[in-house]
mmCIF file of all heavy atoms in Angstrom:
data_model
loop_
_atom_site.group_PDB
_atom_site.id
_atom_site.type_symbol
_atom_site.label_atom_id
_atom_site.label_comp_id
_atom_site.label_asym_id
_atom_site.label_seq_id
_atom_site.Cartn_x
_atom_site.Cartn_y
_atom_site.Cartn_z
ATOM 1 N N LYS A 406 25.604 30.688 27.548
ATOM 2 C CA LYS A 406 24.457 30.799 26.638
ATOM 3 C C LYS A 406 24.920 30.853 25.186
ATOM 4 O O LYS A 406 24.307 30.238 24.307
ATOM 5 C CB LYS A 406 23.614 32.016 26.994
ATOM 6 C CG LYS A 406 22.875 31.825 28.308
ATOM 7 C CD LYS A 406 22.064 33.035 28.691
ATOM 8 C CE LYS A 406 21.349 32.774 30.019
ATOM 9 N NZ LYS A 406 20.546 33.921 30.444
ATOM 10 N N GLN A 407 26.008 31.551 24.927
ATOM 11 C CA GLN A 407 26.565 31.588 23.577
ATOM 12 C C GLN A 407 27.004 30.192 23.144
ATOM 13 O O GLN A 407 26.708 29.755 22.021
ATOM 14 C CB GLN A 407 27.765 32.544 23.521
ATOM 15 C CG GLN A 407 27.410 33.996 23.668
ATOM 16 C CD GLN A 407 28.638 34.880 23.794
ATOM 17 O OE1 GLN A 407 29.697 34.438 24.236
ATOM 18 N NE2 GLN A 407 28.493 36.146 23.405
ATOM 19 N N ILE A 408 27.691 29.502 24.030
ATOM 20 C CA ILE A 408 28.156 28.140 23.730
ATOM 21 C C ILE A 408 26.976 27.246 23.385
ATOM 22 O O ILE A 408 27.004 26.491 22.396
ATOM 23 C CB ILE A 408 28.970 27.566 24.909
ATOM 24 C CG1 ILE A 408 30.285 28.339 25.076
ATOM 25 C CG2 ILE A 408 29.230 26.071 24.719
ATOM 26 C CD1 ILE A 408 30.998 28.061 26.397
ATOM 27 N N ARG A 409 25.922 27.313 24.166
ATOM 28 C CA ARG A 409 24.747 26.462 23.938
ATOM 29 C C ARG A 409 24.100 26.756 22.586
ATOM 30 O O ARG A 409 23.697 25.851 21.868
ATOM 31 C CB ARG A 409 23.726 26.635 25.068
ATOM 32 C CG ARG A 409 24.238 26.252 26.442
ATOM 33 C CD ARG A 409 24.692 24.839 26.537
ATOM 34 N NE ARG A 409 23.552 23.947 26.476
ATOM 35 C CZ ARG A 409 23.613 22.633 26.446
ATOM 36 N NH1 ARG A 409 24.772 22.028 26.476
ATOM 37 N NH2 ARG A 409 22.536 21.906 26.392
ATOM 38 N N HIS A 410 24.002 28.036 22.240
ATOM 39 C CA HIS A 410 23.433 28.397 20.935
ATOM 40 C C HIS A 410 24.296 27.860 19.801
ATOM 41 O O HIS A 410 23.776 27.328 18.808
ATOM 42 C CB HIS A 410 23.293 29.915 20.810
ATOM 43 C CG HIS A 410 22.104 30.489 21.518
ATOM 44 N ND1 HIS A 410 20.827 30.395 21.020
ATOM 45 C CD2 HIS A 410 22.007 31.163 22.686
ATOM 46 C CE1 HIS A 410 19.980 30.984 21.852
ATOM 47 N NE2 HIS A 410 20.680 31.456 22.879
ATOM 48 N N LEU A 411 25.594 27.999 19.926
ATOM 49 C CA LEU A 411 26.488 27.540 18.868
ATOM 50 C C LEU A 411 26.505 26.013 18.764
ATOM 51 O O LEU A 411 26.554 25.463 17.662
ATOM 52 C CB LEU A 411 27.893 28.100 19.087
ATOM 53 C CG LEU A 411 27.989 29.630 18.938
ATOM 54 C CD1 LEU A 411 29.335 30.138 19.433
ATOM 55 C CD2 LEU A 411 27.731 30.063 17.505
ATOM 56 N N LEU A 412 26.435 25.332 19.903
ATOM 57 C CA LEU A 412 26.313 23.868 19.868
ATOM 58 C C LEU A 412 25.018 23.467 19.176
ATOM 59 O O LEU A 412 24.987 22.505 18.404
ATOM 60 C CB LEU A 412 26.359 23.280 21.283
ATOM 61 C CG LEU A 412 27.713 23.242 21.959
ATOM 62 C CD1 LEU A 412 27.559 22.882 23.439
ATOM 63 C CD2 LEU A 412 28.653 22.274 21.275
ATOM 64 N N GLY A 413 23.954 24.210 19.440
ATOM 65 C CA GLY A 413 22.659 23.948 18.813
ATOM 66 C C GLY A 413 22.698 24.120 17.297
ATOM 67 O O GLY A 413 21.875 23.546 16.582
ATOM 68 N N ALA A 414 23.657 24.912 16.812
ATOM 69 C CA ALA A 414 23.818 25.097 15.370
ATOM 70 C C ALA A 414 24.657 23.986 14.755
ATOM 71 O O ALA A 414 24.950 24.008 13.558
ATOM 72 C CB ALA A 414 24.466 26.460 15.095
ATOM 73 N N GLY A 415 25.073 23.016 15.576
ATOM 74 C CA GLY A 415 25.827 21.886 15.059
ATOM 75 C C GLY A 415 27.326 22.100 15.025
ATOM 76 O O GLY A 415 28.045 21.302 14.433
ATOM 77 N N LEU A 416 27.797 23.165 15.669
ATOM 78 C CA LEU A 416 29.232 23.418 15.685
ATOM 79 C C LEU A 416 29.905 22.561 16.742
ATOM 80 O O LEU A 416 29.323 22.286 17.795
ATOM 81 C CB LEU A 416 29.498 24.897 15.953
ATOM 82 C CG LEU A 416 28.974 25.856 14.883
ATOM 83 C CD1 LEU A 416 29.034 27.289 15.360
ATOM 84 C CD2 LEU A 416 29.770 25.694 13.598
ATOM 85 N N SER A 417 31.114 22.151 16.481
ATOM 86 C CA SER A 417 31.878 21.361 17.451
ATOM 87 C C SER A 417 32.490 22.304 18.481
ATOM 88 O O SER A 417 32.581 23.520 18.267
ATOM 89 C CB SER A 417 32.991 20.588 16.737
ATOM 90 O OG SER A 417 33.978 21.489 16.263
ATOM 91 N N SER A 418 32.956 21.751 19.588
ATOM 92 C CA SER A 418 33.603 22.581 20.603
ATOM 93 C C SER A 418 34.868 23.222 20.035
ATOM 94 O O SER A 418 35.214 24.354 20.382
ATOM 95 C CB SER A 418 33.902 21.774 21.862
ATOM 96 O OG SER A 418 34.728 20.675 21.568
ATOM 97 N N GLU A 419 35.534 22.536 19.129
ATOM 98 C CA GLU A 419 36.717 23.111 18.476
ATOM 99 C C GLU A 419 36.326 24.320 17.626
ATOM 100 O O GLU A 419 36.984 25.354 17.653
ATOM 101 C CB GLU A 419 37.407 22.049 17.617
ATOM 102 C CG GLU A 419 38.692 22.516 16.979
ATOM 103 C CD GLU A 419 39.348 21.419 16.148
ATOM 104 O OE1 GLU A 419 39.083 20.231 16.368
ATOM 105 O OE2 GLU A 419 40.131 21.781 15.263
ATOM 106 N N ASP A 420 35.234 24.187 16.862
ATOM 107 C CA ASP A 420 34.735 25.311 16.069
ATOM 108 C C ASP A 420 34.369 26.480 16.974
ATOM 109 O O ASP A 420 34.686 27.629 16.694
ATOM 110 C CB ASP A 420 33.488 24.912 15.267
ATOM 111 C CG ASP A 420 33.752 23.887 14.179
ATOM 112 O OD1 ASP A 420 34.892 23.820 13.679
ATOM 113 O OD2 ASP A 420 32.801 23.148 13.834
ATOM 114 N N ILE A 421 33.684 26.159 18.061
ATOM 115 C CA ILE A 421 33.208 27.201 18.968
ATOM 116 C C ILE A 421 34.379 27.939 19.610
ATOM 117 O O ILE A 421 34.345 29.168 19.745
ATOM 118 C CB ILE A 421 32.257 26.609 20.026
ATOM 119 C CG1 ILE A 421 30.975 26.122 19.335
ATOM 120 C CG2 ILE A 421 31.925 27.641 21.108
ATOM 121 C CD1 ILE A 421 30.066 25.297 20.205
ATOM 122 N N ALA A 422 35.416 27.218 19.995
ATOM 123 C CA ALA A 422 36.588 27.875 20.576
ATOM 124 C C ALA A 422 37.153 28.904 19.609
ATOM 125 O O ALA A 422 37.603 29.970 20.020
ATOM 126 C CB ALA A 422 37.642 26.837 20.944
ATOM 127 N N TYR A 423 37.095 28.586 18.352
ATOM 128 C CA TYR A 423 37.597 29.483 17.322
ATOM 129 C C TYR A 423 36.666 30.688 17.132
ATOM 130 O O TYR A 423 37.117 31.804 16.893
ATOM 131 C CB TYR A 423 37.741 28.693 16.020
ATOM 132 C CG TYR A 423 38.361 29.460 14.887
ATOM 133 C CD1 TYR A 423 39.719 29.729 14.864
ATOM 134 C CD2 TYR A 423 37.578 29.899 13.828
ATOM 135 C CE1 TYR A 423 40.299 30.424 13.813
ATOM 136 C CE2 TYR A 423 38.141 30.592 12.768
ATOM 137 C CZ TYR A 423 39.500 30.852 12.765
ATOM 138 O OH TYR A 423 40.057 31.546 11.733
ATOM 139 N N LEU A 424 35.346 30.446 17.254
ATOM 140 C CA LEU A 424 34.350 31.481 16.975
ATOM 141 C C LEU A 424 34.069 32.417 18.145
ATOM 142 O O LEU A 424 33.675 33.565 17.935
ATOM 143 C CB LEU A 424 33.025 30.831 16.557
ATOM 144 C CG LEU A 424 33.033 29.920 15.344
ATOM 145 C CD1 LEU A 424 31.665 29.301 15.144
ATOM 146 C CD2 LEU A 424 33.464 30.669 14.103
ATOM 147 N N LEU A 425 34.219 31.949 19.371
ATOM 148 C CA LEU A 425 33.809 32.735 20.535
ATOM 149 C C LEU A 425 34.405 34.134 20.614
ATOM 150 O O LEU A 425 33.696 35.060 21.016
ATOM 151 C CB LEU A 425 34.081 31.966 21.833
ATOM 152 C CG LEU A 425 32.982 30.989 22.232
ATOM 153 C CD1 LEU A 425 33.395 30.220 23.481
ATOM 154 C CD2 LEU A 425 31.655 31.674 22.444
ATOM 155 N N PRO A 426 35.646 34.343 20.236
ATOM 156 C CA PRO A 426 36.156 35.716 20.291
ATOM 157 C C PRO A 426 35.385 36.687 19.390
ATOM 158 O O PRO A 426 35.406 37.885 19.617
ATOM 159 C CB PRO A 426 37.611 35.578 19.831
ATOM 160 C CG PRO A 426 37.970 34.175 20.158
ATOM 161 C CD PRO A 426 36.715 33.391 19.934
ATOM 162 N N CYS A 427 34.672 36.161 18.404
ATOM 163 C CA CYS A 427 33.895 36.997 17.487
ATOM 164 C C CYS A 427 32.419 37.075 17.878
ATOM 165 O O CYS A 427 31.622 37.655 17.157
ATOM 166 C CB CYS A 427 34.000 36.438 16.068
ATOM 167 S SG CYS A 427 35.682 36.384 15.424
ATOM 168 N N ALA A 428 32.036 36.477 18.999
ATOM 169 C CA ALA A 428 30.635 36.409 19.409
ATOM 170 C C ALA A 428 30.251 37.633 20.235
ATOM 171 O O ALA A 428 30.960 38.026 21.148
ATOM 172 C CB ALA A 428 30.390 35.140 20.218
ATOM 173 N N VAL A 429 29.082 38.183 19.890
ATOM 174 C CA VAL A 429 28.543 39.321 20.617
ATOM 175 C C VAL A 429 27.086 39.017 20.938
ATOM 176 O O VAL A 429 26.314 38.642 20.058
ATOM 177 C CB VAL A 429 28.627 40.612 19.755
ATOM 178 C CG1 VAL A 429 27.999 41.782 20.474
ATOM 179 C CG2 VAL A 429 30.066 40.903 19.367
ATOM 180 N N GLY A 430 26.705 39.147 22.197
ATOM 181 C CA GLY A 430 25.318 38.927 22.597
ATOM 182 C C GLY A 430 25.003 37.466 22.840
ATOM 183 O O GLY A 430 25.803 36.573 22.569
ATOM 184 N N GLU A 431 23.790 37.230 23.380
ATOM 185 C CA GLU A 431 23.400 35.880 23.778
ATOM 186 C C GLU A 431 23.150 34.968 22.598
ATOM 187 O O GLU A 431 23.453 33.783 22.647
ATOM 188 C CB GLU A 431 22.147 35.945 24.653
ATOM 189 C CG GLU A 431 21.703 34.609 25.183
ATOM 190 C CD GLU A 431 20.493 34.710 26.089
ATOM 191 O OE1 GLU A 431 20.392 35.683 26.851
ATOM 192 O OE2 GLU A 431 19.658 33.802 26.024
ATOM 193 N N ALA A 432 22.599 35.470 21.496
ATOM 194 C CA ALA A 432 22.131 34.619 20.395
ATOM 195 C C ALA A 432 23.188 33.729 19.756
ATOM 196 O O ALA A 432 22.849 32.638 19.372
ATOM 197 C CB ALA A 432 21.416 35.435 19.341
ATOM 198 N N PRO A 433 24.419 33.954 19.615
ATOM 199 C CA PRO A 433 25.128 35.230 19.559
ATOM 200 C C PRO A 433 25.189 35.741 18.130
ATOM 201 O O PRO A 433 24.975 35.006 17.175
ATOM 202 C CB PRO A 433 26.515 34.873 20.060
ATOM 203 C CG PRO A 433 26.735 33.496 19.578
ATOM 204 C CD PRO A 433 25.367 32.844 19.630
ATOM 205 N N GLU A 434 25.498 37.007 17.995
ATOM 206 C CA GLU A 434 25.788 37.582 16.687
ATOM 207 C C GLU A 434 27.286 37.410 16.471
ATOM 208 O O GLU A 434 28.080 37.647 17.386
ATOM 209 C CB GLU A 434 25.424 39.060 16.683
ATOM 210 C CG GLU A 434 25.596 39.723 15.352
ATOM 211 C CD GLU A 434 25.135 41.176 15.377
ATOM 212 O OE1 GLU A 434 24.226 41.503 16.145
ATOM 213 O OE2 GLU A 434 25.719 41.964 14.626
ATOM 214 N N LEU A 435 27.665 36.961 15.308
ATOM 215 C CA LEU A 435 29.077 36.715 15.019
ATOM 216 C C LEU A 435 29.588 37.765 14.046
ATOM 217 O O LEU A 435 28.952 38.041 13.031
ATOM 218 C CB LEU A 435 29.279 35.317 14.431
ATOM 219 C CG LEU A 435 28.845 34.167 15.341
ATOM 220 C CD1 LEU A 435 28.914 32.849 14.587
ATOM 221 C CD2 LEU A 435 29.699 34.118 16.581
ATOM 222 N N LEU A 436 30.707 38.352 14.375
ATOM 223 C CA LEU A 436 31.333 39.322 13.489
ATOM 224 C C LEU A 436 31.839 38.588 12.260
ATOM 225 O O LEU A 436 32.393 37.491 12.364
ATOM 226 C CB LEU A 436 32.478 40.032 14.206
ATOM 227 C CG LEU A 436 32.090 40.707 15.534
ATOM 228 C CD1 LEU A 436 33.320 41.280 16.215
ATOM 229 C CD2 LEU A 436 31.042 41.783 15.306
ATOM 230 N N GLY A 437 31.672 39.169 11.093
ATOM 231 C CA GLY A 437 31.948 38.462 9.839
ATOM 232 C C GLY A 437 33.362 38.546 9.330
ATOM 233 O O GLY A 437 33.564 38.876 8.170
ATOM 234 N N CYS A 438 34.333 38.222 10.144
ATOM 235 C CA CYS A 438 35.711 38.222 9.654
ATOM 236 C C CYS A 438 35.912 37.025 8.715
ATOM 237 O O CYS A 438 35.244 36.006 8.844
ATOM 238 C CB CYS A 438 36.701 38.207 10.809
ATOM 239 S SG CYS A 438 36.522 36.823 11.927
ATOM 240 N N PRO A 439 36.829 37.142 7.757
ATOM 241 C CA PRO A 439 37.010 36.072 6.752
ATOM 242 C C PRO A 439 37.310 34.704 7.355
ATOM 243 O O PRO A 439 36.795 33.688 6.878
ATOM 244 C CB PRO A 439 38.195 36.568 5.915
ATOM 245 C CG PRO A 439 38.213 38.041 6.097
ATOM 246 C CD PRO A 439 37.691 38.294 7.484
ATOM 247 N N GLU A 440 38.132 34.644 8.410
ATOM 248 C CA GLU A 440 38.464 33.353 9.016
ATOM 249 C C GLU A 440 37.223 32.694 9.625
ATOM 250 O O GLU A 440 37.036 31.490 9.522
ATOM 251 C CB GLU A 440 39.533 33.525 10.105
ATOM 252 C CG GLU A 440 40.851 34.061 9.597
ATOM 253 C CD GLU A 440 40.890 35.597 9.556
ATOM 254 O OE1 GLU A 440 39.919 36.255 9.988
ATOM 255 O OE2 GLU A 440 41.897 36.130 9.070
ATOM 256 N N LEU A 441 36.385 33.513 10.245
ATOM 257 C CA LEU A 441 35.158 33.015 10.854
ATOM 258 C C LEU A 441 34.223 32.454 9.791
ATOM 259 O O LEU A 441 33.677 31.362 9.931
ATOM 260 C CB LEU A 441 34.482 34.142 11.632
ATOM 261 C CG LEU A 441 33.104 33.848 12.196
ATOM 262 C CD1 LEU A 441 33.229 32.862 13.342
ATOM 263 C CD2 LEU A 441 32.458 35.123 12.679
ATOM 264 N N LEU A 442 34.039 33.206 8.725
ATOM 265 C CA LEU A 442 33.157 32.750 7.652
ATOM 266 C C LEU A 442 33.672 31.458 7.027
ATOM 267 O O LEU A 442 32.896 30.549 6.735
ATOM 268 C CB LEU A 442 33.010 33.843 6.597
ATOM 269 C CG LEU A 442 32.221 35.066 7.049
ATOM 270 C CD1 LEU A 442 32.342 36.186 6.028
ATOM 271 C CD2 LEU A 442 30.775 34.707 7.295
ATOM 272 N N ALA A 443 34.974 31.352 6.847
ATOM 273 C CA ALA A 443 35.547 30.132 6.279
ATOM 274 C C ALA A 443 35.288 28.935 7.193
ATOM 275 O O ALA A 443 34.922 27.851 6.723
ATOM 276 C CB ALA A 443 37.047 30.316 6.053
ATOM 277 N N ALA A 444 35.432 29.119 8.500
ATOM 278 C CA ALA A 444 35.193 28.030 9.453
ATOM 279 C C ALA A 444 33.732 27.601 9.427
ATOM 280 O O ALA A 444 33.422 26.398 9.434
ATOM 281 C CB ALA A 444 35.592 28.466 10.856
ATOM 282 N N MET A 445 32.814 28.565 9.371
ATOM 283 C CA MET A 445 31.389 28.220 9.351
ATOM 284 C C MET A 445 30.999 27.557 8.035
ATOM 285 O O MET A 445 30.203 26.623 8.032
ATOM 286 C CB MET A 445 30.541 29.462 9.627
ATOM 287 C CG MET A 445 30.633 29.928 11.068
ATOM 288 S SD MET A 445 29.435 31.193 11.532
ATOM 289 C CE MET A 445 29.880 32.542 10.477
ATOM 290 N N ARG A 446 31.577 28.002 6.942
ATOM 291 C CA ARG A 446 31.284 27.365 5.649
ATOM 292 C C ARG A 446 31.806 25.933 5.609
ATOM 293 O O ARG A 446 31.162 25.040 5.057
ATOM 294 C CB ARG A 446 31.875 28.188 4.511
ATOM 295 C CG ARG A 446 31.089 29.449 4.239
ATOM 296 C CD ARG A 446 31.610 30.195 3.020
ATOM 297 N NE ARG A 446 30.811 31.379 2.801
ATOM 298 C CZ ARG A 446 31.284 32.623 2.856
ATOM 299 N NH1 ARG A 446 32.566 32.844 3.102
ATOM 300 N NH2 ARG A 446 30.493 33.644 2.645
ATOM 301 N N THR A 447 32.967 25.714 6.212
ATOM 302 C CA THR A 447 33.518 24.354 6.280
ATOM 303 C C THR A 447 32.588 23.452 7.083
ATOM 304 O O THR A 447 32.298 22.321 6.689
ATOM 305 C CB THR A 447 34.918 24.388 6.912
ATOM 306 O OG1 THR A 447 35.777 25.157 6.078
ATOM 307 C CG2 THR A 447 35.487 22.979 7.071
ATOM 308 N N ARG A 448 32.108 23.944 8.214
ATOM 309 C CA ARG A 448 31.181 23.156 9.048
ATOM 310 C C ARG A 448 29.885 22.888 8.295
ATOM 311 O O ARG A 448 29.346 21.782 8.346
ATOM 312 C CB ARG A 448 30.910 23.892 10.363
ATOM 313 C CG ARG A 448 29.962 23.167 11.276
ATOM 314 C CD ARG A 448 30.498 21.807 11.678
ATOM 315 N NE ARG A 448 29.573 21.150 12.567
ATOM 316 C CZ ARG A 448 29.387 19.849 12.602
ATOM 317 N NH1 ARG A 448 30.101 19.055 11.851
ATOM 318 N NH2 ARG A 448 28.515 19.321 13.419
ATOM 319 N N LEU A 449 29.381 23.878 7.588
ATOM 320 C CA LEU A 449 28.157 23.694 6.810
ATOM 321 C C LEU A 449 28.352 22.614 5.749
ATOM 322 O O LEU A 449 27.477 21.770 5.545
ATOM 323 C CB LEU A 449 27.738 25.017 6.157
ATOM 324 C CG LEU A 449 26.476 24.971 5.298
ATOM 325 C CD1 LEU A 449 25.267 24.526 6.114
ATOM 326 C CD2 LEU A 449 26.236 26.329 4.664
#
């Protein structure tokens, strides 16, 4: 369910592999570590 939500946000499977360790809950909520934020900003 987390993977599906993140794919729906336009993230690649490579991005998701990087983000999943920071995912909490189904939606998921992502912990705001600097590396995570940098990856999401790059994708944006």
Side-chain angles (χ1 to χ4, degrees):
K406 290 179 180 180
Q407 290 172 334
I408 293 167
R409 299 301 289 175
H410 281 283
L411 294 169
L412 285 169
L416 297 169
S417 69
S418 58
E419 184 179 338
D420 293 334
I421 293 169
Y423 185 74
L424 302 176
L425 275 176
C427 300
V429 177
E431 183 178 323
E434 184 176 330
L435 299 172
L436 305 175
C438 58
E440 298 87 4
L441 173 71
L442 291 170
M445 289 191 297
R446 285 185 179 117
T447 297
R448 179 61 179 147
L449 179 60

